[in-house]
Amino acid sequence: MEWQPDEQGLQQVLQLLKDSQSPNTVTQRAVQQKLEQLNQFPDFNNYLIFVLTRLKTEDEPTRSLSGLILKNNVKAHYQNFPAGVCDFIKRECLNSIGDPSPLIRATIGILITTIASKGELQTWPELLPQLCNLLDSEDYNTCEGSFGALQKICEDSSELLDSDALNRPLNVMIPKFLQFFKHCSPKIRSHAIACVNQFIIGRAQALMDSIDTFIESLFVLAADEDSEVRKNVCRALVMLLEVRIDRLIPHMHSIIQYMLQRTQDPDENVALEACEFWLTLAEQPICKEALSGHMVQLIPVLVNGMKYSEIDIILLKGDVEEDEAVPDSEQDIKPRFHKSRTVTLQHEGGEGEEDEDIEDDDDDDDDDALTDWNLRKCSAAALDVLANVFRDELLPHLLPLLKGLLFHPDWVVKESGILVLGAIAEGCMQGMVPYLPELIPHLIQSLSDKKALVRSIACWTLSRYAHWVVSQPPDSYLKPLMTELLKRILDSNKRVQEAACSSFATLEEEACTELVPYLSFILDTLVFAFGKYQHKNLLILYDAIGTLADSVGHHLNQPEYIQKLMPPLIAKWNQLKDEDKDLFPLLECLSSVATALQSGFLPYCEPVYQRCVTLVQKTLAQAMMYNQQPDQYEAPDKDFMIVALDLLSGLAEGLGGHVEQLVARSNIMTLLFQCMQDTLPEVRQSSFALLGDLTKACFLHVKPCIAEFMPILGLNLNPEFISVCNNATWAIGEISMQMGAEMQPYVGMVLPHLVEIINRPNTPKTLLENTGTERITDAHCSLQTNRGMTQAFFFFFFCVRVSLCAAITIGRLGFVCPQEVAPQLQHFIRPWCTSLRNIRDNEEKDSAFRGICVMIGVNPAGVVQDFIFFCDAVASWVSPKDDLRDMFYKILHGFKDQVGEENWQQFSEQFPPLLKERLSACYGV
């Protein structure tokens, strides 16, 4: 007998649904409590499906709400539903999929796909066949409701649908969907394309078997009058460009012409989908060949798309010029995530070179408030990537437009021209150089424009040309730009403040010590901003101050500058509670400041140090309580511990030996032992960075812990966790230099891992160097990504750096324990030499090469097979210290004497001319 509701129970549920639509928070809370009570009764869910599917006398919002509450119950408790309740819900869904109301049909579709996502596709075998059969219904509502449900299932379960687990239903579904591309209803046509689109990226075999039919059907629908259909056609072609470009190439001319039209579609959603085509095409090898004949049409279309729309200006409050006194709302402030400190090496840049974030955070324009991807952003990104493909060949199509835009009386047009100029900065820099002496002053002048949105985009675009500005005489552009940017940092508009602060941080990174003569003026401005900024921009201001400290380094350590900078920073520090996430950017900032000020930070170090230790201790205690009783305690936010560890690293690095007394009066070594074993890789990463810094600053407190620490370091030499491995490797190198021959008992537990790292193909460039020099410091190190390069490239780049780190630590280990390391020489000498030839002369390189020379003395046979690589590595030195040069001289001449003049001549014939010339000039061989 079919379930029937109790009338009184039904009225109770209906009243609850009505109350839940009340805006009153007290009522809402009571509703929530009642829902929790009713969920104890299994057939409560029967009432909910009954209201959704059967009570057609009720208003649609109430019925839909009933379905959405049921959906949430399915998500949370479906496994506890009695079988009878499950069957009733499923039956009702399929019987009512053709409800006359679009809202109810959509709600039922959501409910069906939620049930399916709970593993029910396998145990609801009639679902897919029945939905597919219902597509053939002559009733439009039934057909549309079934398609809506199928589309949601395809979105949520695309991989499962293309698997043997369900006996590959796509073999039936794909051909069925393709039939509906010709349906008389645009809504049905749109559903059909959207369903098939879900299987393009995954290259579902059933779709690949029908790929030509699919593409032909798309071409037929290309001029469809319905905008949703056109949008789905564009989306399909963009995805096909990624996975089946071979099938599109014969039609590429026509497709490009079509996409040019659609990028100008009156419906912005269609235009945005079409604009993605140019971004995707730019990543394909055929891009240049395919687009060369179309650039004259494409460039004006992209440029036109970069203007703010009227709705954009409303959303951005573009007519509001002064809002500095308006407090930020919570949604204005993005959540912040601290990035752990990772050791970097002092190589190609001489001073610590910064690491790149894998993700590029150099946005294409400055409208962060428009967080949604829109046509303006997509057009700018497309122009940017195409500039990287075509380089200066782009300019003949662009420059005639650019002048008219940049000097246009309409601010919206002028603003788009400044964005265009910024978007092409990287790809077309060389070709733009002749025009920059005229353009940069115009951009600097635009920083004073009466429209805030013009001022803010001018900040961003100028940051894109900061490298060129800094390369010119300071009085020409740097000084005027800096002066105007500092004025904009104190702008009365919050968006301009933000853009100016970010732009100035970029200028700081490029200018470095060029800014030293202006430090007093810069600090006056940044400190004044402390009293002016609202919450969001205050966080960005911390970053600008931290970047300044990183850029000018010890030049900041002057009493005048310290007196300006430290009081407001410490005041903010004292205002914030331990659980306030605003501590993250402030701690990062203080870490950079402490490193730069060195002994100048001493008057402020004790309270800062103690608070960091307390943060670590609190977080560890919370983690322990949570692990023991997860039902009673919340998991701690370990970012507090990570950022505190990183600031302690900054203090140790900046204060050097002065940190010893602070360490002596605290339990940091005990806490560090726990942190080094934390389950979260980022905690271990920061722990090993701090261990290395403490080793350099006050080894007497580290040494008693070495026996406990070394096995943990050995366990973390796993390149799968690149940054953790890097920092552990670096710390081992620093410990080796302090321990000397006492390192001998630990060589066996770390050397095999280091040799493995250095020999790994594509080993993640920080580790090969550290196998030993310096920690990767995400806290104050961020590499600016080169747009157009892929994430895979950056992973490879990082891998190479990790191997470099490993190389130096092997050299250091060999320097202090040559008898233990030298027997392994032949297993690592070639990659060791290849890695270290690429870094500049510095102390880390010096210690590593001394180690390799000592090891060759112990085991000369280990280097014989790869001696040419050693010669190449020696030649990479510009000016080694005299005693190191003597070591090189003895090894080179010893080898030459050993093999004899004739054999040496034959051997040296293999040398590239430059190497031969360098060895002859420097070492007489």
Side-chain angles (χ1 to χ4, degrees):
M1 181 177 162
E2 189 177 67
W3 180 88
Q4 289 295 326
D6 171 71
E7 187 57 35
Q8 188 180 352
L10 185 60
Q11 291 309 314
Q12 193 180 354
V13 170
L14 284 171
Q15 187 57 49
L16 187 70
L17 291 168
K18 303 280 187 201
D19 290 347
S20 70
Q21 295 171 61
S22 164
N24 185 293
T25 51
V26 176
T27 308
Q28 285 286 349
R29 204 173 296 122
V31 166
Q32 199 57 42
Q33 288 174 347
K34 188 70 177 169
L35 278 174
E36 287 172 13
Q37 290 169 13
L38 289 171
N39 269 322
Q40 306 303 312
F41 301 97
D43 68 346
F44 171 54
N45 295 298
N46 284 0
Y47 282 92
L48 292 173
I49 190 70
F50 188 88
V51 172
L52 174 65
T53 59
R54 302 274 189 98
L55 277 196
K56 300 192 179 179
T57 52
E58 283 298 323
D59 61 89
E60 289 180 11
T62 299
R63 291 173 64 198
S64 177
L65 180 61
S66 182
L68 293 174
I69 291 171
L70 176 55
K71 178 211 69 167
N72 289 337
N73 286 351
V74 166
K75 259 183 152 174
H77 312 296
Y78 189 74
Q79 68 276 11
N80 301 325
F81 284 16
V85 172
C86 293
D87 291 341
F88 183 63
I89 294 170
K90 291 177 183 177
R91 197 162 55 249
E92 285 299 304
C93 282
L94 286 174
N95 289 342
S96 303
I97 195 73
D99 193 281
S101 159
L103 177 63
I104 301 304
R105 291 199 300 273
T107 306
I108 291 170
I110 290 168
L111 184 53
I112 286 173
T113 194
T114 306
I115 295 169
S117 71
K118 301 300 287 185
E120 287 294 299
L121 273 178
Q122 288 98 319
T123 55
W124 193 0
E126 68 273 22
L127 173 63
L128 293 175
Q130 199 161 338
L131 287 175
C132 284
N133 288 336
L134 290 171
L135 295 180
D136 296 322
S137 170
E138 292 183 9
D139 175 55
Y140 167 80
N141 292 335
T142 302
C143 177
E144 196 279 328
S146 302
F147 241 134
L150 280 166
Q151 183 179 332
K152 293 179 183 74
I153 291 169
C154 291
E155 287 169 2
D156 290 354
S157 308
S158 59
E159 287 186 21
L160 185 58
L161 292 170
D162 190 31
S163 71
D164 289 327
L166 297 177
N167 203 18
R168 299 203 173 269
L170 289 189
N171 292 336
V172 175
M173 293 165 68
I174 295 284
K176 184 92 174 174
F177 295 153
L178 289 172
Q179 292 171 16
F180 284 85
F181 277 38
K182 297 173 184 173
H183 197 275
C184 59
S185 161
K187 181 81 172 169
I188 301 296
R189 294 197 298 274
S190 180
H191 275 316
I193 306 168
C195 283
V196 178
N197 282 357
Q198 298 305 318
F199 305 100
I200 298 174
I201 296 297
R203 301 170 188 258
Q205 191 55 49
L207 177 55
M208 294 302 109
D209 292 343
S210 304
I211 195 71
D212 292 328
T213 308
F214 176 45
I215 291 170
E216 286 164 19
S217 303
L218 289 174
F219 289 163
V220 170
L221 292 174
D224 200 283
E225 291 178 5
D226 184 78
S227 60
E228 199 64 25
V229 172
R230 294 197 304 275
K231 186 180 88 172
N232 281 325
V233 168
C234 291
R235 183 173 292 169
L237 289 170
V238 170
M239 289 190 285
L240 287 167
L241 197 58
E242 285 189 52
V243 299
R244 290 309 302 262
I245 194 170
D246 58 311
R247 286 295 197 269
L248 298 187
I249 285 174
H251 314 284
M252 193 55 76
H253 176 79
S254 303
I255 292 170
I256 288 170
Q257 288 299 316
Y258 173 69
M259 286 300 189
L260 278 166
Q261 291 174 18
R262 293 286 70 82
T263 308
Q264 302 169 81
D265 199 283
D267 185 312
E268 186 172 324
N269 291 320
V270 178
L272 175 57
E273 210 62 59
C275 196
E276 295 278 359
F277 180 83
W278 314 114
L279 274 173
T280 305
L281 183 58
E283 294 174 0
Q284 305 301 321
I286 66 152
C287 175
K288 201 164 184 179
E289 180 189 347
L291 277 183
S292 288
H294 302 276
M295 295 302 283
V296 68
Q297 295 168 279
L298 175 58
I299 296 303
V301 170
L302 292 178
V303 166
N304 192 51
M306 290 164 73
K307 286 190 298 205
Y308 278 125
S309 66
E310 288 180 19
I311 190 72
D312 289 343
I313 294 168
I314 293 166
L315 288 170
L316 287 166
K317 300 175 183 164
D319 55 338
V320 177
E321 295 303 318
E322 294 190 14
D323 62 355
E324 65 176 346
V326 180
D328 294 329
S329 62
E330 281 305 309
Q331 58 263 39
D332 287 339
I333 302 157
K334 295 178 183 174
R336 286 190 62 98
F337 302 98
H338 176 71
K339 288 180 294 182
S340 306
R341 193 174 175 95
T342 313
V343 179
T344 48
L345 297 161
Q346 296 180 3
H347 56 101
E348 289 146 318
E351 300 297 313
E353 189 156 299
E354 313 285 43
D355 271 285
E356 287 200 313
D357 299 335
I358 298 288
E359 286 170 15
D360 182 0
D361 51 37
D362 183 12
D363 288 333
D364 265 342
D365 59 36
D366 72 330
D367 35 306
D368 286 341
L370 282 176
T371 49
D372 290 338
W373 189 237
N374 58 21
L375 183 60
R376 167 188 162 91
K377 288 187 172 185
C378 191
S379 300
L383 185 62
D384 187 345
V385 294
L386 289 171
N388 275 288
V389 172
F390 284 87
R391 300 288 172 180
D392 296 345
E393 294 171 37
L394 196 79
L395 294 178
H397 306 291
L398 192 63
L399 289 175
L401 300 170
L402 198 53
K403 191 161 189 179
L405 297 172
L406 288 171
F407 298 92
H408 201 281
D410 182 345
W411 76 266
V412 175
V413 179
K414 177 181 177 179
E415 193 277 345
S416 72
I418 296 172
L419 173 57
V420 168
L421 192 56
I424 63 167
E426 185 185 291
C428 301
M429 179 62 79
Q430 199 171 342
M432 288 304 297
V433 165
Y435 306 99
L436 293 181
E438 179 187 353
L439 288 172
I440 296 298
H442 177 67
L443 289 172
I444 292 172
Q445 192 179 346
S446 298
L447 290 173
S448 306
D449 195 275
K450 64 180 183 180
K451 296 301 292 185
L453 289 173
V454 174
R455 298 198 299 277
S456 65
I457 198 63
C459 290
W460 177 76
T461 293
L462 280 160
S463 74
R464 302 272 282 176
Y465 290 95
H467 184 76
W468 181 85
V469 166
V470 170
S471 71
Q472 305 301 303
D475 287 345
S476 302
Y477 308 104
L478 176 60
K479 196 172 176 182
L481 171 57
M482 184 187 65
T483 305
E484 286 305 312
L485 270 182
L486 289 170
K487 287 180 189 173
R488 295 289 66 80
I489 283 173
L490 302 179
D491 200 276
S492 56
N493 180 275
K494 291 193 287 188
R495 172 174 301 283
V496 180
Q497 292 172 359
E498 177 185 358
C501 246
S502 298
S503 179
F504 194 73
T506 303
L507 187 65
E508 288 169 342
E509 288 173 341
E510 292 289 350
C512 294
T513 52
E514 294 280 339
L515 296 179
V516 170
Y518 317 108
L519 268 175
S520 185
F521 181 37
I522 293 169
L523 289 170
D524 284 340
T525 303
L526 297 180
V527 167
F528 190 81
F530 265 112
K532 187 180 178 74
Y533 277 13
Q534 297 296 334
H535 188 183
K536 178 186 175 186
N537 286 351
L538 201 54
L539 307 184
I540 296 161
L541 180 63
Y542 294 146
D543 180 59
I545 291 170
T547 306
L548 178 68
D550 292 337
S551 300
V552 300
H554 66 89
H555 296 284
L556 201 58
N557 188 10
Q558 297 292 333
E560 174 200 354
Y561 303 150
I562 293 170
Q563 193 50 46
K564 287 177 193 283
L565 180 59
M566 289 309 299
L569 281 177
I570 294 298
K572 292 292 179 189
W573 167 264
N574 290 331
Q575 283 172 20
L576 294 175
K577 295 182 177 156
D578 283 354
E579 56 276 7
D580 193 328
K581 290 195 176 184
D582 285 1
L583 270 177
F584 296 168
L586 180 54
L587 282 162
E588 289 170 7
C589 172
L590 280 170
S591 179
S592 295
V593 169
T595 305
L597 291 186
Q598 299 172 351
S599 60
F601 198 78
L602 275 172
Y604 310 95
C605 66
E606 186 148 6
V608 172
Y609 179 91
Q610 292 301 343
R611 188 172 192 180
C612 287
V613 172
T614 302
L615 282 169
V616 174
Q617 195 158 338
K618 272 188 181 178
T619 311
L620 286 171
Q622 287 170 356
M624 186 180 293
M625 290 188 293
Y626 171 73
N627 290 335
Q628 290 170 353
Q629 296 173 292
D631 297 337
Q632 293 187 30
Y633 295 98
E634 281 189 15
D637 183 344
K638 291 187 179 178
D639 271 357
F640 285 102
M641 177 159 65
I642 294 165
V643 81
L645 290 166
D646 289 346
L647 179 46
L648 288 170
S649 277
L651 288 173
E653 188 179 356
L655 299 177
H658 294 292
V659 83
E660 187 273 323
Q661 290 186 350
L662 296 171
V663 174
R665 292 198 297 269
S666 72
N667 62 339
I668 188 62
M669 300 314 296
T670 305
L671 300 175
L672 193 53
F673 180 66
Q674 294 175 59
C675 293
M676 286 164 58
Q677 298 173 82
D678 198 272
T679 53
L680 195 67
E682 290 81 0
V683 175
R684 302 200 303 277
Q685 176 182 331
S686 291
S687 303
F688 297 138
L690 177 55
L691 175 60
D693 279 317
L694 290 175
T695 298
K696 291 171 76 174
C698 53
F699 186 63
L700 75 149
H701 295 296
V702 176
K703 190 172 183 181
C705 309
I706 290 298
E708 289 179 310
F709 285 3
M710 284 307 301
I712 300 170
L713 286 164
L715 286 172
N716 281 276
L717 296 178
N718 175 7
E720 296 307 314
F721 297 98
I722 296 177
S723 298
V724 179
C725 182
N726 186 88
N727 286 8
T729 302
W730 174 72
I732 292 166
E734 292 299 334
I735 290 167
S736 299
M737 296 308 288
Q738 297 289 341
M739 289 282 283
E742 292 178 74
M743 194 69 184
Q744 184 267 328
Y746 309 109
V747 172
M749 67 175 66
V750 298
L751 183 61
H753 299 297
L754 296 173
V755 172
E756 185 184 341
I757 290 165
I758 205 174
N759 279 290
R760 269 170 66 103
N762 300 339
T763 294
K765 186 175 164 182
T766 335
L767 258 187
L768 273 166
E769 205 162 330
N770 234 4
T771 300
T773 155
E774 215 192 325
R775 61 198 179 311
I776 302 166
T777 337
D778 285 344
H780 65 247
C781 281
S782 101
L783 215 77
Q784 295 301 308
T785 18
N786 285 326
R787 198 168 292 290
M789 296 186 182
T790 63
Q791 285 196 2
F793 170 80
F794 284 112
F795 178 76
F796 169 76
F797 176 80
F798 210 87
C799 286
V800 175
R801 295 195 68 155
V802 173
S803 293
L804 264 171
C805 198
I808 288 184
T809 291
I810 289 176
R812 290 175 152 191
L813 268 176
F815 181 63
V816 297
C817 299
Q819 297 296 335
E820 287 71 28
V821 182
Q824 299 298 315
L825 199 54
Q826 68 196 64
H827 299 299
F828 61 76
I829 186 66
R830 182 185 290 200
W832 190 96
C833 293
T834 306
S835 302
L836 290 181
R837 74 178 301 282
N838 293 315
I839 66 169
R840 288 190 177 183
D841 300 3
N842 60 39
E843 288 302 317
E844 290 86 2
K845 184 174 180 177
D846 180 280
S847 59
F849 269 85
R850 288 175 189 277
I852 212 74
C853 289
V854 173
M855 285 187 275
I856 290 171
V858 172
N859 179 21
V863 77
V864 169
Q865 293 298 319
D866 297 304
F867 196 69
I868 189 170
F869 291 93
F870 175 73
C871 295
D872 181 51
V874 166
S876 72
W877 279 90
V878 177
S879 52
K881 291 177 183 173
D882 289 344
D883 59 335
L884 181 60
R885 184 190 296 274
D886 289 344
M887 294 168 90
F888 293 156
Y889 184 93
K890 285 173 184 170
I891 291 171
L892 291 169
H893 279 271
F895 186 86
K896 181 180 176 183
D897 294 344
Q898 187 72 28
V899 299
E901 184 68 36
E902 189 178 337
N903 287 333
W904 176 263
Q905 286 304 323
Q906 287 179 1
F907 173 68
S908 61
E909 286 302 317
Q910 305 170 58
F911 294 176
L914 203 60
L915 173 58
K916 195 184 233 183
E917 185 183 311
R918 193 158 179 77
L919 289 177
S920 174
C922 296
Y923 301 101
V925 291

